[in-house]
PDB file of all heavy atoms in Angstrom:
ATOM      1  N   GLY A 139     156.175 115.547 112.728  1.00  0.00           N
ATOM      2  CA  GLY A 139     157.624 115.606 112.593  1.00  0.00           C
ATOM      3  C   GLY A 139     158.152 116.939 112.109  1.00  0.00           C
ATOM      4  O   GLY A 139     159.367 117.108 111.947  1.00  0.00           O
ATOM      5  N   ALA A 140     157.288 117.924 111.868  1.00  0.00           N
ATOM      6  CA  ALA A 140     157.741 119.252 111.449  1.00  0.00           C
ATOM      7  C   ALA A 140     158.396 119.969 112.626  1.00  0.00           C
ATOM      8  O   ALA A 140     158.145 119.649 113.795  1.00  0.00           O
ATOM      9  CB  ALA A 140     156.582 120.067 110.903  1.00  0.00           C
ATOM     10  N   ALA A 141     159.261 120.961 112.317  1.00  0.00           N
ATOM     11  CA  ALA A 141     159.942 121.709 113.369  1.00  0.00           C
ATOM     12  C   ALA A 141     160.074 123.173 112.957  1.00  0.00           C
ATOM     13  O   ALA A 141     160.377 123.471 111.802  1.00  0.00           O
ATOM     14  CB  ALA A 141     161.318 121.119 113.658  1.00  0.00           C
ATOM     15  N   VAL A 142     159.844 124.067 113.921  1.00  0.00           N
ATOM     16  CA  VAL A 142     160.033 125.509 113.729  1.00  0.00           C
ATOM     17  C   VAL A 142     161.029 125.963 114.779  1.00  0.00           C
ATOM     18  O   VAL A 142     160.769 125.852 115.988  1.00  0.00           O
ATOM     19  CB  VAL A 142     158.704 126.272 113.867  1.00  0.00           C
ATOM     20  CG1 VAL A 142     158.932 127.763 113.631  1.00  0.00           C
ATOM     21  CG2 VAL A 142     157.656 125.730 112.888  1.00  0.00           C
ATOM     22  N   TRP A 143     162.173 126.526 114.328  1.00  0.00           N
ATOM     23  CA  TRP A 143     163.268 126.800 115.248  1.00  0.00           C
ATOM     24  C   TRP A 143     163.336 128.266 115.658  1.00  0.00           C
ATOM     25  O   TRP A 143     162.454 129.067 115.364  1.00  0.00           O
ATOM     26  CB  TRP A 143     164.586 126.296 114.657  1.00  0.00           C
ATOM     27  CG  TRP A 143     164.605 124.799 114.571  1.00  0.00           C
ATOM     28  CD1 TRP A 143     164.352 124.020 113.479  1.00  0.00           C
ATOM     29  CD2 TRP A 143     164.806 123.888 115.647  1.00  0.00           C
ATOM     30  NE1 TRP A 143     164.401 122.692 113.801  1.00  0.00           N
ATOM     31  CE2 TRP A 143     164.686 122.566 115.125  1.00  0.00           C
ATOM     32  CE3 TRP A 143     165.086 124.042 116.999  1.00  0.00           C
ATOM     33  CZ2 TRP A 143     164.829 121.434 115.912  1.00  0.00           C
ATOM     34  CZ3 TRP A 143     165.237 122.900 117.789  1.00  0.00           C
ATOM     35  CH2 TRP A 143     165.115 121.619 117.241  1.00  0.00           C
ATOM     36  N   ASN A 144     164.443 128.637 116.311  1.00  0.00           N
ATOM     37  CA  ASN A 144     164.613 129.886 117.045  1.00  0.00           C
ATOM     38  C   ASN A 144     164.195 131.129 116.259  1.00  0.00           C
ATOM     39  O   ASN A 144     164.607 131.332 115.115  1.00  0.00           O
ATOM     40  CB  ASN A 144     166.083 130.063 117.457  1.00  0.00           C
ATOM     41  CG  ASN A 144     166.667 128.832 118.081  1.00  0.00           C
ATOM     42  OD1 ASN A 144     166.604 127.748 117.501  1.00  0.00           O
ATOM     43  ND2 ASN A 144     167.260 128.975 119.253  1.00  0.00           N
ATOM     44  N   TRP A 145     163.387 131.959 116.901  1.00  0.00           N
ATOM     45  CA  TRP A 145     163.071 133.313 116.449  1.00  0.00           C
ATOM     46  C   TRP A 145     162.330 133.361 115.111  1.00  0.00           C
ATOM     47  O   TRP A 145     162.249 134.413 114.484  1.00  0.00           O
ATOM     48  CB  TRP A 145     164.339 134.165 116.366  1.00  0.00           C
ATOM     49  CG  TRP A 145     165.162 134.120 117.616  1.00  0.00           C
ATOM     50  CD1 TRP A 145     166.401 133.539 117.769  1.00  0.00           C
ATOM     51  CD2 TRP A 145     164.811 134.639 118.900  1.00  0.00           C
ATOM     52  NE1 TRP A 145     166.840 133.652 119.059  1.00  0.00           N
ATOM     53  CE2 TRP A 145     165.876 134.334 119.790  1.00  0.00           C
ATOM     54  CE3 TRP A 145     163.693 135.318 119.398  1.00  0.00           C
ATOM     55  CZ2 TRP A 145     165.866 134.692 121.123  1.00  0.00           C
ATOM     56  CZ3 TRP A 145     163.684 135.675 120.736  1.00  0.00           C
ATOM     57  CH2 TRP A 145     164.762 135.371 121.574  1.00  0.00           C
ATOM     58  N   SER A 146     161.804 132.258 114.661  1.00  0.00           N
ATOM     59  CA  SER A 146     161.028 132.268 113.421  1.00  0.00           C
ATOM     60  C   SER A 146     159.598 132.730 113.702  1.00  0.00           C
ATOM     61  O   SER A 146     159.091 132.611 114.821  1.00  0.00           O
ATOM     62  CB  SER A 146     161.011 130.877 112.782  1.00  0.00           C
ATOM     63  OG  SER A 146     162.285 130.552 112.283  1.00  0.00           O
ATOM     64  N   LYS A 147     158.949 133.253 112.649  1.00  0.00           N
ATOM     65  CA  LYS A 147     157.565 133.696 112.773  1.00  0.00           C
ATOM     66  C   LYS A 147     156.741 133.071 111.659  1.00  0.00           C
ATOM     67  O   LYS A 147     157.079 133.192 110.478  1.00  0.00           O
ATOM     68  CB  LYS A 147     157.461 135.220 112.691  1.00  0.00           C
ATOM     69  CG  LYS A 147     156.031 135.726 112.850  1.00  0.00           C
ATOM     70  CD  LYS A 147     155.963 137.238 112.934  1.00  0.00           C
ATOM     71  CE  LYS A 147     154.525 137.701 113.169  1.00  0.00           C
ATOM     72  NZ  LYS A 147     154.433 139.184 113.306  1.00  0.00           N
ATOM     73  N   VAL A 148     155.651 132.399 112.043  1.00  0.00           N
ATOM     74  CA  VAL A 148     154.756 131.748 111.091  1.00  0.00           C
ATOM     75  C   VAL A 148     153.364 132.331 111.311  1.00  0.00           C
ATOM     76  O   VAL A 148     152.777 132.176 112.388  1.00  0.00           O
ATOM     77  CB  VAL A 148     154.736 130.222 111.288  1.00  0.00           C
ATOM     78  CG1 VAL A 148     153.898 129.574 110.191  1.00  0.00           C
ATOM     79  CG2 VAL A 148     156.161 129.654 111.276  1.00  0.00           C
ATOM     80  N   ARG A 149     152.848 132.962 110.279  1.00  0.00           N
ATOM     81  CA  ARG A 149     151.600 133.706 110.430  1.00  0.00           C
ATOM     82  C   ARG A 149     150.361 132.839 110.208  1.00  0.00           C
ATOM     83  O   ARG A 149     150.449 131.651 109.906  1.00  0.00           O
ATOM     84  CB  ARG A 149     151.603 134.914 109.497  1.00  0.00           C
ATOM     85  CG  ARG A 149     152.606 135.996 109.914  1.00  0.00           C
ATOM     86  CD  ARG A 149     152.417 137.257 109.105  1.00  0.00           C
ATOM     87  NE  ARG A 149     151.045 137.762 109.217  1.00  0.00           N
ATOM     88  CZ  ARG A 149     150.577 138.783 108.488  1.00  0.00           C
ATOM     89  NH1 ARG A 149     151.373 139.382 107.605  1.00  0.00           N
ATOM     90  NH2 ARG A 149     149.330 139.186 108.626  1.00  0.00           N
ATOM     91  N   GLU A 150     149.210 133.473 110.311  1.00  0.00           N
ATOM     92  CA  GLU A 150     147.925 132.782 110.306  1.00  0.00           C
ATOM     93  C   GLU A 150     147.661 132.066 108.981  1.00  0.00           C
ATOM     94  O   GLU A 150     148.021 132.526 107.912  1.00  0.00           O
ATOM     95  CB  GLU A 150     146.784 133.756 110.602  1.00  0.00           C
ATOM     96  CG  GLU A 150     146.649 134.906 109.623  1.00  0.00           C
ATOM     97  CD  GLU A 150     147.486 136.130 109.989  1.00  0.00           C
ATOM     98  OE1 GLU A 150     148.458 135.983 110.761  1.00  0.00           O
ATOM     99  OE2 GLU A 150     147.177 137.215 109.482  1.00  0.00           O
ATOM    100  N   GLY A 151     147.016 130.898 109.106  1.00  0.00           N
ATOM    101  CA  GLY A 151     146.578 130.157 107.938  1.00  0.00           C
ATOM    102  C   GLY A 151     147.657 129.394 107.195  1.00  0.00           C
ATOM    103  O   GLY A 151     147.392 128.817 106.141  1.00  0.00           O
ATOM    104  N   VAL A 152     148.864 129.356 107.718  1.00  0.00           N
ATOM    105  CA  VAL A 152     149.962 128.634 107.062  1.00  0.00           C
ATOM    106  C   VAL A 152     149.784 127.127 107.280  1.00  0.00           C
ATOM    107  O   VAL A 152     149.359 126.690 108.352  1.00  0.00           O
ATOM    108  CB  VAL A 152     151.324 129.095 107.603  1.00  0.00           C
ATOM    109  CG1 VAL A 152     152.459 128.195 107.107  1.00  0.00           C
ATOM    110  CG2 VAL A 152     151.590 130.543 107.205  1.00  0.00           C
ATOM    111  N   LYS A 153     150.128 126.354 106.255  1.00  0.00           N
ATOM    112  CA  LYS A 153     150.149 124.898 106.371  1.00  0.00           C
ATOM    113  C   LYS A 153     151.549 124.395 106.055  1.00  0.00           C
ATOM    114  O   LYS A 153     152.096 124.712 104.998  1.00  0.00           O
ATOM    115  CB  LYS A 153     149.126 124.259 105.422  1.00  0.00           C
ATOM    116  CG  LYS A 153     147.686 124.513 105.821  1.00  0.00           C
ATOM    117  CD  LYS A 153     146.721 123.762 104.920  1.00  0.00           C
ATOM    118  CE  LYS A 153     145.276 123.983 105.360  1.00  0.00           C
ATOM    119  NZ  LYS A 153     144.326 123.239 104.481  1.00  0.00           N
ATOM    120  N   ILE A 154     152.126 123.630 106.974  1.00  0.00           N
ATOM    121  CA  ILE A 154     153.483 123.103 106.840  1.00  0.00           C
ATOM    122  C   ILE A 154     153.407 121.584 106.918  1.00  0.00           C
ATOM    123  O   ILE A 154     152.835 121.026 107.852  1.00  0.00           O
ATOM    124  CB  ILE A 154     154.405 123.653 107.946  1.00  0.00           C
ATOM    125  CG1 ILE A 154     154.525 125.175 107.808  1.00  0.00           C
ATOM    126  CG2 ILE A 154     155.783 123.003 107.887  1.00  0.00           C
ATOM    127  CD1 ILE A 154     155.278 125.838 108.940  1.00  0.00           C
ATOM    128  N   GLY A 155     153.999 120.912 105.933  1.00  0.00           N
ATOM    129  CA  GLY A 155     153.852 119.474 105.796  1.00  0.00           C
ATOM    130  C   GLY A 155     154.703 118.657 106.749  1.00  0.00           C
ATOM    131  O   GLY A 155     155.509 119.169 107.533  1.00  0.00           O
ATOM    132  N   ARG A 156     154.545 117.349 106.638  1.00  0.00           N
ATOM    133  CA  ARG A 156     155.228 116.380 107.495  1.00  0.00           C
ATOM    134  C   ARG A 156     156.747 116.453 107.305  1.00  0.00           C
ATOM    135  O   ARG A 156     157.247 116.516 106.195  1.00  0.00           O
ATOM    136  CB  ARG A 156     154.755 114.971 107.164  1.00  0.00           C
ATOM    137  CG  ARG A 156     153.288 114.712 107.479  1.00  0.00           C
ATOM    138  CD  ARG A 156     152.849 113.334 107.043  1.00  0.00           C
ATOM    139  NE  ARG A 156     152.856 113.212 105.582  1.00  0.00           N
ATOM    140  CZ  ARG A 156     153.674 112.445 104.893  1.00  0.00           C
ATOM    141  NH1 ARG A 156     154.572 111.708 105.506  1.00  0.00           N
ATOM    142  NH2 ARG A 156     153.590 112.383 103.575  1.00  0.00           N
ATOM    143  N   GLY A 157     157.471 116.432 108.418  1.00  0.00           N
ATOM    144  CA  GLY A 157     158.915 116.346 108.381  1.00  0.00           C
ATOM    145  C   GLY A 157     159.626 117.576 107.865  1.00  0.00           C
ATOM    146  O   GLY A 157     160.841 117.540 107.628  1.00  0.00           O
ATOM    147  N   THR A 158     158.921 118.681 107.693  1.00  0.00           N
ATOM    148  CA  THR A 158     159.548 119.909 107.188  1.00  0.00           C
ATOM    149  C   THR A 158     160.244 120.646 108.315  1.00  0.00           C
ATOM    150  O   THR A 158     159.716 120.769 109.418  1.00  0.00           O
ATOM    151  CB  THR A 158     158.504 120.803 106.505  1.00  0.00           C
ATOM    152  OG1 THR A 158     158.152 120.222 105.252  1.00  0.00           O
ATOM    153  CG2 THR A 158     159.031 122.204 106.271  1.00  0.00           C
ATOM    154  N   ASN A 159     161.445 121.151 108.027  1.00  0.00           N
ATOM    155  CA  ASN A 159     162.269 121.816 109.025  1.00  0.00           C
ATOM    156  C   ASN A 159     162.383 123.304 108.689  1.00  0.00           C
ATOM    157  O   ASN A 159     162.895 123.670 107.626  1.00  0.00           O
ATOM    158  CB  ASN A 159     163.659 121.180 109.072  1.00  0.00           C
ATOM    159  CG  ASN A 159     164.461 121.646 110.261  1.00  0.00           C
ATOM    160  OD1 ASN A 159     164.212 121.249 111.394  1.00  0.00           O
ATOM    161  ND2 ASN A 159     165.451 122.496 109.998  1.00  0.00           N
ATOM    162  N   ILE A 160     161.901 124.157 109.589  1.00  0.00           N
ATOM    163  CA  ILE A 160     161.960 125.611 109.416  1.00  0.00           C
ATOM    164  C   ILE A 160     163.081 126.136 110.302  1.00  0.00           C
ATOM    165  O   ILE A 160     163.021 126.014 111.527  1.00  0.00           O
ATOM    166  CB  ILE A 160     160.625 126.272 109.816  1.00  0.00           C
ATOM    167  CG1 ILE A 160     159.440 125.619 109.095  1.00  0.00           C
ATOM    168  CG2 ILE A 160     160.683 127.769 109.543  1.00  0.00           C
ATOM    169  CD1 ILE A 160     159.448 125.760 107.613  1.00  0.00           C
ATOM    170  N   GLY A 161     164.128 126.697 109.693  1.00  0.00           N
ATOM    171  CA  GLY A 161     165.316 127.103 110.434  1.00  0.00           C
ATOM    172  C   GLY A 161     165.127 128.343 111.286  1.00  0.00           C
ATOM    173  O   GLY A 161     164.010 128.764 111.594  1.00  0.00           O
ATOM    174  N   GLN A 162     166.237 128.958 111.649  1.00  0.00           N
ATOM    175  CA  GLN A 162     166.234 130.104 112.558  1.00  0.00           C
ATOM    176  C   GLN A 162     165.890 131.392 111.823  1.00  0.00           C
ATOM    177  O   GLN A 162     166.316 131.629 110.691  1.00  0.00           O
ATOM    178  CB  GLN A 162     167.619 130.220 113.195  1.00  0.00           C
ATOM    179  CG  GLN A 162     167.786 131.403 114.133  1.00  0.00           C
ATOM    180  CD  GLN A 162     169.147 131.385 114.785  1.00  0.00           C
ATOM    181  OE1 GLN A 162     169.531 130.416 115.427  1.00  0.00           O
ATOM    182  NE2 GLN A 162     169.897 132.471 114.612  1.00  0.00           N
ATOM    183  N   SER A 163     165.096 132.247 112.469  1.00  0.00           N
ATOM    184  CA  SER A 163     164.764 133.588 111.963  1.00  0.00           C
ATOM    185  C   SER A 163     164.132 133.554 110.573  1.00  0.00           C
ATOM    186  O   SER A 163     164.424 134.383 109.717  1.00  0.00           O
ATOM    187  CB  SER A 163     166.016 134.484 111.953  1.00  0.00           C
ATOM    188  OG  SER A 163     166.550 134.603 113.250  1.00  0.00           O
ATOM    189  N   VAL A 164     163.255 132.594 110.354  1.00  0.00           N
ATOM    190  CA  VAL A 164     162.503 132.478 109.100  1.00  0.00           C
ATOM    191  C   VAL A 164     161.172 133.199 109.260  1.00  0.00           C
ATOM    192  O   VAL A 164     160.522 133.093 110.312  1.00  0.00           O
ATOM    193  CB  VAL A 164     162.274 131.001 108.734  1.00  0.00           C
ATOM    194  CG1 VAL A 164     161.341 130.870 107.530  1.00  0.00           C
ATOM    195  CG2 VAL A 164     163.600 130.314 108.461  1.00  0.00           C
ATOM    196  N   TYR A 165     160.755 133.930 108.215  1.00  0.00           N
ATOM    197  CA  TYR A 165     159.443 134.579 108.220  1.00  0.00           C
ATOM    198  C   TYR A 165     158.572 133.921 107.162  1.00  0.00           C
ATOM    199  O   TYR A 165     158.944 133.852 105.982  1.00  0.00           O
ATOM    200  CB  TYR A 165     159.561 136.072 107.909  1.00  0.00           C
ATOM    201  CG  TYR A 165     158.212 136.746 107.768  1.00  0.00           C
ATOM    202  CD1 TYR A 165     157.456 137.063 108.892  1.00  0.00           C
ATOM    203  CD2 TYR A 165     157.688 137.040 106.514  1.00  0.00           C
ATOM    204  CE1 TYR A 165     156.215 137.667 108.767  1.00  0.00           C
ATOM    205  CE2 TYR A 165     156.446 137.644 106.377  1.00  0.00           C
ATOM    206  CZ  TYR A 165     155.717 137.962 107.513  1.00  0.00           C
ATOM    207  OH  TYR A 165     154.483 138.545 107.383  1.00  0.00           O
ATOM    208  N   ILE A 166     157.412 133.414 107.581  1.00  0.00           N
ATOM    209  CA  ILE A 166     156.457 132.793 106.664  1.00  0.00           C
ATOM    210  C   ILE A 166     155.147 133.564 106.753  1.00  0.00           C
ATOM    211  O   ILE A 166     154.498 133.597 107.806  1.00  0.00           O
ATOM    212  CB  ILE A 166     156.253 131.305 106.981  1.00  0.00           C
ATOM    213  CG1 ILE A 166     157.601 130.571 106.924  1.00  0.00           C
ATOM    214  CG2 ILE A 166     155.271 130.683 106.004  1.00  0.00           C
ATOM    215  CD1 ILE A 166     157.516 129.105 107.285  1.00  0.00           C
TER     216      ILE A 166
END
C-alpha cells in the first residue's frame, strides 16, 4: 500500500513501511 509520487528519488537500501505515502519531488 505504499506510494511514491511524481519526480521523487529513493536511493539504494531504503525501507518504506506499509501504507506510507511519499509525495512529489521528495529525496530519500
Side-chain angles (χ1 to χ4, degrees):
V142 181
W143 293 99
N144 312 53
W145 309 111
S146 290
K147 181 173 183 178
V148 186
R149 291 189 56 187
E150 60 272 21
V152 170
K153 291 185 178 180
I154 297 173
R156 295 176 293 113
T158 287
N159 191 74
I160 308 297
Q162 178 176 304
S163 301
V164 173
Y165 174 77
I166 303 177

